[in-house]
Amino acid sequence: MYKREWQQQKAAMGMEKSVLKSELDLDDVGSSHNDVNRTGTSFGTFVNIVCAVAGTGILGLPYALKQGGWVALSLFFLGAAMAIYTSRMLIECLYCKPGSRLHEFSDIGEAAFGKVGRYFVKVFQYSASLSLACIYILLAGLNIHRLILEYAEREILSLKLLVVISGLVVMVPFALLKSLKEVTILSVFGALCTVVVVIAVVVQGAIDVGQSDLPSTEPYVLSGLPLSFSTICFSYTGNVVFPHVEGTMKNPRSWNRVVTLSIVFVTALYIVTGVAGYACYGDNVMSPVLNSLPKGVMSSMGYVLITLHVILAAPIYLCSFALEQERWLGIDRSHMSASKEFLLRVLFRSSIVVILTLIAMFLPYFSDLMGLFGAVSGALVVFLIPVTCHYKLFGWRHRTPLQHFGALVILTVGVFGLVLGTSSSIQALSDSIQKGDSTTASVTH
């Protein structure tokens, strides 16, 4: 139905441009999309995207270059191009029905493949959102625990207590701030933290290189290119929250420009971090790259800032999940008073963080399980679902050969990442079980 209506509208307007080059007719969408207050600025959208995409994976990119050699630098440009392309496709799918906008990611699955598509997308969308938020809570506790042991040389606070504290810090803004527009200020600080970490890596790396000979590096490592390719491409995950981020924009017509600028900026951070880390520490570089820095102010500052980043980024993923659940549960002003809506929202969101914090504290091999879910969900949500749904909704016609080729490349990368990520995650889980590693040991690596 959506496909037929779109084609009829396109024929009536005499449009001859290709799908991705055409402008979406969004002038009347803001008023019809009444579940979100569209007052978000383009800058707020920019920082939300940067904070969601440029996660802790940035610290593993120098090691990804070590795996594939300098030739792996080209993969950053490929990953960025695919991220921009699928992000545009994803948002276009929200407007597949002329004159209105779908609410959320799972609506796209239903529009394309019916109820089966809705539930399929929901499972992996929620898996990606909740697993990332849960890992961020645990990672924040681990980083604080590491810093305490480094300077106090004894355990002042237990790891479990620090995980609880991290969960409480995440809970406050998540429970009190309703939408992604309201958590933009958190995203600003999160993005700034990432930028400062990159600067710290570059500065300390330059100092270390100045005090010794240049380390050995490789132009290419064929055996390591597949894993390097997977690591770099999947460092662009984050589009699971894009429907809600775009839904807050006052001017949704600027989405393509804003998401392009955001991903270009993130790519610049990635390249600077990867090049600086690999050039300065060569084949001895570790993941995360902060482990390669000598103990001192720079490395400590890096861990503090990346901890702040994950604490500030977690509410973005959780907010995306909570907004959909609250709509389904009827927790909004149209069903109840403002005070009751606020109380129920705080209780509901607090319970989500409590559950995730308990999982992070007590579930053995947690990070390996979450890594497995993340590998499967990331490949599907980032690469496979946007492309397949876009083709199902808008058809094969009116696309250039280059667009078909681009879609084929993205689908191939998605399947490749799905297989490689799943197999490596299963192997990591198996190794942890055999060695008896706890959640702590698994995540720190």
Side-chain angles (χ1 to χ4, degrees), residues 343-365:
L343 178 61
L344 289 178
R345 186 179 76 242
V346 170
L347 291 175
F348 175 67
R349 295 190 178 193
S350 298
S351 65
I352 293 174
V353 178
V354 168
I355 292 172
L356 295 179
T357 303
L358 289 174
I359 292 174
M361 289 172 60
F362 296 109
L363 182 62
Y365 319 116

Side-chain angles (χ1 to χ4, degrees), residues 53-132:
V53 175
T56 57
I58 192 173
L59 300 179
L61 294 177
Y63 188 80
L65 282 184
K66 170 193 171 182
Q67 291 175 312
W70 286 114
V71 71
L73 269 177
S74 60
L75 302 179
F76 286 105
F77 299 100
L78 177 61
M82 291 191 300
I84 292 170
Y85 195 76
T86 56
S87 298
R88 293 183 174 191
M89 281 182 137
L90 177 65
I91 299 305
E92 283 188 354
C93 288
L94 292 174
Y95 298 94
C96 61
K97 187 176 181 181
S100 63
R101 179 190 186 275
L102 301 179
H103 292 297
E104 54 200 46
F105 209 132
S106 56
D107 290 339
I108 296 174
E110 183 173 10
F113 299 103
K115 291 293 183 181
V116 174
R118 164 176 284 275
Y119 293 120
F120 180 84
V121 172
K122 270 186 179 292
V123 168
F124 293 104
Q125 173 196 358
Y126 294 164
S127 174
S129 296
L130 295 178
S131 62
L132 277 171

Side-chain angles (χ1 to χ4, degrees), residues 12-13 49 55 66 72 74 142-143 153 172 178 191 194 203 225 273-274 277 284 301-302 312 330 354 377 407:
M13 295 175 64
I49 294 173
K66 170 193 171 182
S74 60
L142 283 167
N143 285 347
E153 298 183 352
V172 173
K178 181 177 181 180
T194 304
V203 171
L225 270 176
T273 306
N284 294 320
M301 181 179 69
L312 297 174
V354 168
S377 301

